[in-house]
Amino acid sequence: MNIGEIARRAGVSRSTVSYALSGKRPVSEDTRRRIQEVVDELGYQPSASARALANGRTSTIGLVFPPAGNHYTGMQLDFIGSVVEAAAAYDYDVLLSPSGVDSDRSFQRLLGERRVDGAILMEIRLRDDRLDHLAAVDFPSVAIGRTAHPEGSWWVGLDHTELVQRCVHHLADLGHRRVAFVNRPQQLLRAGYESAQRGLDGFTKAAAERGLTVRTYCCGDDAASGQACVQRILHDDPATTALVTLNEAALGGLYRGLAQADRLVPRDFSVTGVVAGRWAETVTPQLTAADVPAAEMGRLAVELLVERLDQPGARPRHHLLVPPISLRASTGPAGVPPGPDLGPATTP
Amino acid sequence: MNIGEIARRAGVSRSTVSYALSGKRPVSEDTRRRIQEVVDELGYQPSASARALANGRTSTIGLVFPPAGNHYTGMQLDFIGSVVEAAAAYDYDVLLSPSGVDSDRSFQRLLGERRVDGAILMEIRLRDDRLDHLAAVDFPSVAIGRTAHPEGSWWVGLDHTELVQRCVHHLADLGHRRVAFVNRPQQLLRAGYESAQRGLDGFTKAAAERGLTVRTYCCGDDAASGQACVQRILHDDPATTALVTLNEAALGGLYRGLAQADRLVPRDFSVTGVVAGRWAETVTPQLTAADVPAAEMGRLAVELLVERLDQPGARPRHHLLVPPISLRASTGPAGVPPGPDLGPATTP
DNA sequence: TTGAAAGCGGTACCAT
DNA sequence: ATGGTACCGCTTTCAA
């Protein structure tokens, strides 16, 4: 059933039906009601494809996120959920595109075939060819994350440098002198993932400022890797008393590694980092962390994109978020670290 | 730029360009190459909307999942990821639709406006109006989950009843006599969520078979609720020595509640259930559980849907999965439960 | 206030 | 092997 059918049954022309439905031209109350009746009776809904073809807008936004394999993290889930929800509020649908790079088939389809009006990108790299490409063709998009040179572009990001610095200062204030940093997987760091790179920067800088003895580690996005990472940390420097992490997926494994090494959190060992709030609360003791406001970021990204779509030519806008550290239960004053085989340290 | 532009530059007709690109009609090697050159030079890609309008197919599948609010679980994330990935392999894009019911705007758009060729539904209820609707209008879809009467429909599901029964038998075999069941939130149970209902059935049945003393609980989808739930359990019957859960999101909280009550897992208290593998491994000790093969289920759902789309009229197919219980570290023989204030039980 | 008709950008049938 | 053209279903301009 199509608009012609409605028109015929209502005894009017197709254009009148179109206008009656869109309200873009006045229609007499009489005919409008007659049309509405037919529409209701037949449950007519205009075809999205035809409409998209005619007016050049799909009412769909693309959400570009990295292909799996790299396991997804809870944070990504929160982003996806909030983007979809926020988009629905503006009557946009969301098309998912698993694309790591510019040249991915899925990414090319999204743009080249004009399946979406605009795009939101996740998992930004400091140099990101997807964003370069989008900027080059002036395609409306908003990044969740910030490149090395975000000037003049649309994004909503987190100040990872600052957040990790705060974590380090928090630990230093508690008296910790030997601290480890547990980053995302090496391959992501190498690829220039923003959070991994900026987080590492912040860690290094703050550690130097406070004169801490530190080591940095890359860690796979899963529990087993986290557990192994803690073993390495304690092997490399058994006197380590705290760690900072960005690696949400490894968190459970980090805790397990510590338990296995008989380091009680937070008495013998403190843990903190940057993690989405819901996930920080699933571990015991609950993680003191800068909570990634994933839901808010997703919502803001959609708002920016909608604004950009509604007002082509609008000046680029962005949001840089710096959520506070939520003090929970995983950090405490540094005790005397246990020597090998001497059992847990005694807290003064 | 459109197909007419290509045709003009290549000095052929529009139809020839179309055929050259689709291969649906032989084209002389000469002209084909000339066309390809122009296409490459201009980076031409046909418009998805126009193509969809012309041939009635969108090359998009809809993924219908419940709106947030109900927090998302890790399992849902795994479903989404695997569906997107599998769909990409068949050159389908995935459109996300957050719809709890039939009448949701988003759901209506998906169908009524013909945005997608088919749909995959998550979070099935035993009586599910979305599926009824889809069946009524004969819309190609596959459910991840199984209604009360799944005969003659397409789905890939998990035998929750059987899985939970096995969990109970596993505990009974270990000597546990007083066991609790931690279900999904009450509101979902009431709504008839398949896993919640069938899981409960299995629990009740197996418990009766083994003559166990049991209580069943509903629990919110978050850590705090899990923690509170354990408190209730131990308050209601301090002699409880084990629990079975379906509630992945509460798992961390369940562990915390037990730790707080000084029940050491698995020495004093055993925990098991039905949970996606990755998440079972994030807790310490790692959860002995029937691992939900979320990735496989998503992939199978896409395969079924693609089959259904390619062969309209094909006989309904389904997959009922019964993954084995992975023995990890959270269950052990029942000890003598501790009386109040007597400290942990002594294991013989 | 309403209708007729020209697109939007492809596909595929009917000719040649 | 190729070209011409009707058509997919809706929007919007132009006319009445």
Side-chain angles (χ1 to χ4, degrees):
Chain A
M1 164 206 11
N2 57 37
I3 200 173
E5 178 78 10
I6 305 295
R8 206 159 34 69
R9 299 216 190 193
V12 297
S13 73
R14 297 191 304 156
S15 50
T16 300
V17 174
S18 178
Y19 286 120
L21 259 32
S22 71
K24 293 188 180 175
R25 185 168 91 173
V27 171
S28 80
E29 190 45 37
D30 222 41
T31 53
R32 126 162 274 118
R33 199 177 44 252
R34 204 162 63 251
I35 290 172
Q36 192 59 52
E37 274 167 14
V38 179
V39 165
D40 289 344
E41 184 190 333
L42 274 66
Y44 167 76
Q45 285 183 265
S47 146
S49 303
R51 171 174 286 171
L53 179 57
N55 64 18
R57 302 197 45 167
T58 60
S59 296
T60 303
I61 68 185
L63 180 56
V64 181
F65 64 102
N70 348 332
H71 308 288
Y72 297 112
T73 67
M75 211 170 65
Q76 292 170 339
L77 175 65
D78 291 343
F79 280 137
I80 296 176
S82 63
V83 165
V84 170
E85 194 135 358
Y90 290 99
D91 279 333
Y92 276 97
D93 281 325
V94 174
L95 196 62
L96 247 36
S97 170
S99 308
V101 294
D102 192 87
S103 49
D104 283 5
R105 275 231 308 274
S106 172
F107 190 76
Q108 292 301 331
R109 276 214 305 267
L110 217 59
L111 300 198
E113 302 185 358
R114 284 140 289 171
R115 280 177 187 268
V116 300
D117 297 335
I120 292 177
L121 280 79
M122 293 170 44
E123 303 284 302
I124 301 302
R125 296 185 292 276
L126 287 178
R127 298 197 46 210
D128 201 300
D129 63 340
R130 302 169 304 175
L131 288 174
D132 294 342
H133 184 125
L134 291 168
V137 300
D138 197 31
F139 189 87
S141 58
V142 172
I144 297 185
R146 175 175 50 127
T147 64
H149 297 288
E151 304 80 25
S153 67
W154 297 71
W155 51 272
V156 27
L158 216 52
D159 192 341
H160 290 96
T161 312
E162 172 67 21
L163 294 180
V164 171
Q165 289 191 58
R166 287 188 190 172
C167 288
V168 173
H169 287 304
H170 171 65
L171 292 174
D173 291 346
L174 287 168
H176 295 275
R177 306 294 306 160
R178 308 180 84 88
V179 178
F181 182 63
V182 178
N183 207 332
R184 301 289 301 279
Q186 183 151 51
Q187 127 209 27
L188 298 188
L189 180 65
R190 286 239 180 83
Y193 265 51
E194 186 214 358
S195 59
Q197 292 268 359
R198 285 209 161 92
L200 180 56
D201 282 356
F203 181 80
T204 308
K205 195 177 308 177
E209 252 175 58
R210 303 297 293 253
L212 305 184
T213 302
V214 300
R215 289 172 192 261
T216 61
Y217 297 82
C218 281
C219 175
D221 281 336
D222 59 89
S225 301
Q227 189 174 353
C229 189
V230 166
Q231 285 176 353
R232 268 200 294 151
I233 291 172
L234 294 179
H235 171 267
D236 292 350
D237 180 1
T240 307
T241 63
L243 68 80
V244 177
T245 188
L246 301 178
N247 196 316
E248 192 176 272
L251 188 58
L254 296 175
Y255 268 64
R256 176 152 61 240
L258 290 169
Q260 175 188 296
D262 283 322
R263 308 283 174 127
L264 198 60
V265 176
R267 198 195 58 182
D268 310 323
F269 203 101
S270 289
V271 182
T272 183
V274 182
V275 169
R278 287 173 48 206
W279 309 92
E281 292 174 358
T282 63
V283 290
T284 305
Q286 296 185 44
L287 191 74
T288 286
D291 295 352
V292 176
E296 181 185 6
M297 292 176 73
R299 188 175 49 71
L300 288 173
V302 170
E303 280 176 14
L304 287 185
L305 183 56
V306 169
E307 176 181 332
R308 188 170 175 185
L309 290 173
D310 286 347
Q311 309 165 16
R315 280 192 44 213
R317 299 210 306 130
H318 64 258
H319 298 281
L320 182 61
L321 276 56
V322 193
I325 290 185
S326 295
L327 290 173
R328 297 198 183 87
S330 64
T331 58
V336 179
D341 300 322
L342 291 182
T346 334
T347 318
Chain B
M1 165 203 12
N2 57 36
I3 201 173
E5 177 79 9
I6 305 295
R8 206 157 37 66
R9 300 216 191 194
V12 297
S13 74
R14 297 193 306 153
S15 49
T16 300
V17 174
S18 177
Y19 286 121
L21 260 31
S22 71
K24 294 189 179 175
R25 185 167 91 171
V27 171
S28 81
E29 191 44 37
D30 221 40
T31 53
R32 130 162 269 121
R33 200 177 41 251
R34 205 163 62 250
I35 290 172
Q36 192 59 53
E37 275 167 16
V38 179
V39 165
D40 290 343
E41 185 191 332
L42 274 65
Y44 165 76
Q45 284 183 267
S47 146
S49 302
R51 172 174 286 170
L53 178 57
N55 63 20
R57 302 196 45 166
T58 60
S59 298
T60 303
I61 68 185
L63 180 56
V64 181
F65 64 102
N70 347 331
H71 306 291
Y72 297 112
T73 67
M75 212 169 65
Q76 291 170 340
L77 175 64
D78 291 344
F79 280 136
I80 296 177
S82 63
V83 164
V84 170
E85 193 136 359
Y90 290 99
D91 280 331
Y92 276 97
D93 281 326
V94 173
L95 196 64
L96 248 36
S97 171
S99 309
V101 295
D102 193 81
S103 51
D104 284 5
R105 276 232 307 274
S106 173
F107 189 77
Q108 291 301 333
R109 276 215 305 267
L110 217 59
L111 300 198
E113 302 184 358
R114 283 140 289 171
R115 280 176 186 269
V116 300
D117 297 335
I120 292 177
L121 279 78
M122 292 170 45
E123 303 285 302
I124 301 303
R125 296 185 292 274
L126 287 179
R127 298 196 46 208
D128 201 300
D129 63 340
R130 301 169 305 174
L131 288 174
D132 294 343
H133 185 125
L134 289 169
V137 300
D138 196 31
F139 190 86
S141 58
V142 173
I144 296 184
R146 176 176 48 128
T147 64
H149 297 288
E151 304 80 26
S153 67
W154 297 71
W155 52 271
V156 26
L158 217 51
D159 192 340
H160 291 95
T161 312
E162 172 66 21
L163 294 181
V164 171
Q165 289 190 60
R166 287 189 191 174
C167 288
V168 172
H169 286 304
H170 171 65
L171 292 173
D173 291 345
L174 287 168
H176 294 275
R177 308 293 306 159
R178 309 180 84 87
V179 178
F181 182 63
V182 178
N183 207 334
R184 301 290 301 280
Q186 183 150 52
Q187 128 209 26
L188 298 189
L189 180 64
R190 286 241 178 80
Y193 266 52
E194 186 213 358
S195 59
Q197 292 268 2
R198 285 210 161 92
L200 180 56
D201 282 357
F203 181 80
T204 309
K205 195 177 309 178
E209 253 176 57
R210 303 297 292 253
L212 305 183
T213 303
V214 299
R215 288 171 192 262
T216 62
Y217 295 82
C218 282
C219 174
D221 281 337
D222 59 89
S225 302
Q227 189 172 354
C229 189
V230 167
Q231 286 176 353
R232 267 200 294 150
I233 290 172
L234 294 179
H235 172 267
D236 291 351
D237 180 1
T240 307
T241 63
L243 68 81
V244 176
T245 188
L246 301 179
N247 195 317
E248 192 176 272
L251 188 58
L254 296 175
Y255 269 64
R256 177 153 59 242
L258 290 169
Q260 175 187 295
D262 283 323
R263 308 282 174 127
L264 198 60
V265 177
R267 198 194 60 184
D268 310 324
F269 203 100
S270 289
V271 182
T272 184
V274 181
V275 169
R278 288 174 47 207
W279 310 91
E281 292 175 358
T282 63
V283 291
T284 305
Q286 296 186 44
L287 191 74
T288 286
D291 295 353
V292 176
E296 182 185 5
M297 292 175 74
R299 188 175 49 72
L300 288 172
V302 170
E303 279 175 16
L304 288 186
L305 183 56
V306 169
E307 176 181 333
R308 188 170 175 185
L309 290 173
D310 286 348
Q311 307 164 18
R315 281 192 44 212
R317 298 210 307 129
H318 64 259
H319 298 282
L320 182 61
L321 276 55
V322 193
I325 289 185
S326 294
L327 290 172
R328 297 198 183 87
S330 64
T331 58
V336 179
D341 300 322
L342 290 183
T346 333
T347 318

